[in-house]
Amino acid sequence: MDRFDIAILHVLQEDARTPFAELGEQVGLSPSACHKRVKELWRSGIITQEVVLVDEREAGLETSVFVQATLKNQQQSTLNAFEKAVTLHPEIMECYLMAGLSDYLLRILCRDGADYERIHTEILTRLPGVDRVITNFAIRKVFRRTATPI
């Protein structure tokens, strides 16, 4: 990637619908050169998808909960089963394999405490291999980045 590719990515991470003419003006290239570069960024796997970001609060999902999950063991089959199962629940927004006191860190998005109780009872404690979950409620979101710092 050169400076033009990086500039293109900066613009597209802010608004993926930026027309090639406007993109070219912002990065100093012709629209056709921008189009070719964007196609190559897709082809090479640097750009992986375009998404719409939904305001969670406006959608009625005001509560972010961070859950530390500890599994009964760290056998590969246990990890695989857990990882496959968490992908089936849309309330689980993110999942990270961790080093430290817990095996996984999950970010759950829910309406409120009662909704989280349902998720805890019906989903989290039933995930394969789970031994213990520790729950932390976010008080408020200070900020959230969606752009990769390139």
Side-chain angles (χ1 to χ4, degrees), residues 30 32 36 70 150:
S30 71
S32 62
K36 287 177 187 174
T70 303
I150 51 176

Side-chain angles (χ1 to χ4, degrees), residues 21-36:
E22 185 179 326
L23 182 60
E25 288 176 20
Q26 291 188 42
V27 302
L29 291 172
S30 71
S32 62
C34 286
H35 184 260
K36 287 177 187 174

Side-chain angles (χ1 to χ4, degrees), residues 31-117:
S32 62
C34 286
H35 184 260
K36 287 177 187 174
R37 285 175 176 266
V38 170
K39 279 178 55 175
E40 179 57 24
L41 291 168
W42 275 101
R43 190 202 61 71
S44 66
I46 292 171
I47 297 175
T48 59
Q49 68 185 64
E50 291 180 359
V51 299
V52 171
L53 299 176
V54 174
D55 185 301
E56 296 163 355
R57 179 170 293 249
E58 291 295 323
L61 299 166
E62 299 187 24
T63 305
S64 280
V65 183
F66 294 88
V67 175
Q68 296 170 302
T70 303
L71 304 185
K72 294 174 182 169
N73 63 61
Q74 284 75 40
Q75 295 175 358
Q76 194 61 50
S77 60
T78 305
L79 300 176
N80 291 344
F82 178 87
E83 290 176 12
K84 183 177 179 183
V86 295
T87 66
L88 302 176
H89 302 283
E91 302 92 342
I92 302 173
M93 300 298 293
E94 299 175 63
C95 175
Y96 298 92
L97 177 63
M98 303 297 289
L101 297 177
S102 61
D103 296 311
Y104 289 91
L105 179 65
L106 310 174
R107 183 172 77 92
I108 311 289
L109 194 55
C110 54
R111 291 184 301 277
D112 52 28
D115 191 29
Y116 176 71
E117 182 179 13

